[in-house]
Structure formats: structure tokens, C-alpha cells
Amino acid sequence: MKIIAWNCNMAFRKKAAFILAYNPDIVVISECENPDKLKFPNEIQAPNDILWYGTNPHKGVGVFSYTDYRFQLLECHNPAFKNILPISVTGGKIDFILFAIWANNPGDKDGAYVTQIWKAIHFYEDLIKETKTILIGDFNSNTIWDKPRREGNHTTVVNKLAEKNIFSTYHKYFNQIQGKEEHPTWYLYRHENKPYHLDYCFASNDFIEALESVEVGNYKDWTSCSDHKPLIINFNI
């Protein structure tokens, strides 16, 4: 199962071909326009299923299946966490729970970015299991920005997930330390000298054991499309 997360910086309909070149099963797209605006060119493969959520028709979260996987937003979804979406994934080689994430909620005065994830993983405590669970997308966070006095910083999120044997696929595959990533996923203002790692796929240990490869798009190939680079994960499932 190949799953790709990418903040496309809007207008995914014009950029889908770049992602489809990797033959994904599932794609999670942040800053994606709503389905009414998703008019793909005729030569582009149409997804077999789409789940979209957002309050801005130009910038929400889109989840796309290009195989047999089907999506259903669970009734327990809490709109207070905006674009952190608990999704039942069925119909493919394995059924699992997918949290599609774009951590961006300026209306929350407690914290617009990683604090959203911290709150969500507590709210969905019973749904986040030690097996068949993936959290993936644009987390807008990194350990380098931890505020020690803030309970919901990046490190506490990582540690909370680790308590359930859920780990970052990138850090496991490349044997990296949080905050010292060698492969940036975001370049501030698209400047090559301002790299950061903000996009993640956390997976339960059963997925980690089946982890086959992780790839991050490079600066040269993707900067014309977005300030973010795709995170491409392949599980031997």
C-alpha cells in the first residue's frame, strides 16, 4: 500500500499528474479545493473515491483513492479540530483508521497548529489504537519550535503517540531524531536556504513492521508546484 501526503498549495486539479506518477493507492492532500472544483484534465486518472472536508472551498483536506480503498468520515469527527479527520478506510487489502491532518486552525487561541493535534489525540483516545492506525498530513510542527511550558507541543504529541506504539515512518525508516531531519518537507517562501520538516506519517507498529520505503520529494522537482514536498510511504501490505 502506497500512501502519499502533500500540501499542494491549492489547485490540486492542476498538479495531480505529479503525484499520480508515483502510482499511489491513497493520497492525502492539504490545501485542496472541494470536489465541485476538482475538474481534472481528461488525460488524468480519476480517483475511485474522494473524501473532502473544509470551510473554504479552495483550501481543505482531500483524501483520494486510486485503488479499491473507500473512505467514510466517522460520526465522531469533532469540527472543533477542523481539519483533523478520523476516517474509516475499507475495501482494500486491509481496513484501518486514517487520520487525515492539516493542522491549521487560526480560530483556536490555545494554539492553531500542533496544539490542535494534541487536543485531537486526546479527544479520539479510544479510536487511536495500537494497530491499524495511521495519522498523516501537514502537522505544521517540529520539535525545534517546542515551547517548554506548553503541554501540547510537538514532542509531547510524539511521546503520546509512542505510548500506543505509533511512530513516525520517516524517522523509523531513516533512523532520524525528531528536530534533526535531513530531508525537509517545507521551504519557507520557497527559499532553498530555509528548509524545515513539517509533514509526517505516524503509523501503528503493525504498519511499521511492514514499512518498505519512505521518500521525500526534493526541492528542484517540486518547488514550482508548492512550498511543501510530498511524503511518500510504501507498506508491504
Side-chain angles (χ1 to χ4, degrees), residues 44-112:
I44 298 299
Q45 178 186 352
N48 296 325
D49 196 22
I50 300 174
L51 188 152
W52 185 91
Y53 183 88
T55 55
N56 181 337
H58 303 287
K59 296 174 70 172
V61 177
V63 185
F64 301 84
S65 170
Y66 291 94
T67 50
D68 294 329
Y69 289 104
R70 296 295 183 268
F71 311 125
Q72 181 177 355
L73 182 65
L74 296 177
E75 291 183 0
C76 63
H77 172 235
N78 186 343
F81 307 129
K82 208 170 179 181
N83 298 316
I84 300 176
L85 311 178
I87 298 167
S88 171
V89 181
T90 58
K93 294 181 179 179
I94 184 173
D95 296 346
F96 61 99
I97 296 298
L98 173 74
F99 283 85
I101 294 173
W102 175 32
N104 181 22
N105 187 5
D108 191 328
K109 295 180 180 179
D110 289 338

Side-chain angles (χ1 to χ4, degrees), residues 111-127:
Y113 300 120
V114 70
T115 303
Q116 294 291 293
I117 302 171
W118 175 252
K119 291 180 178 180
I121 61 178
H122 284 80
F123 181 82
Y124 297 116
E125 177 86 30
D126 294 336
L127 185 61

Side-chain angles (χ1 to χ4, degrees), residues 36 43 50 93 160 165 167 232:
D36 292 338
E43 67 273 15
I50 300 174
K93 294 181 179 179
K160 178 68 175 176
N165 288 319
F167 307 100
I232 304 159

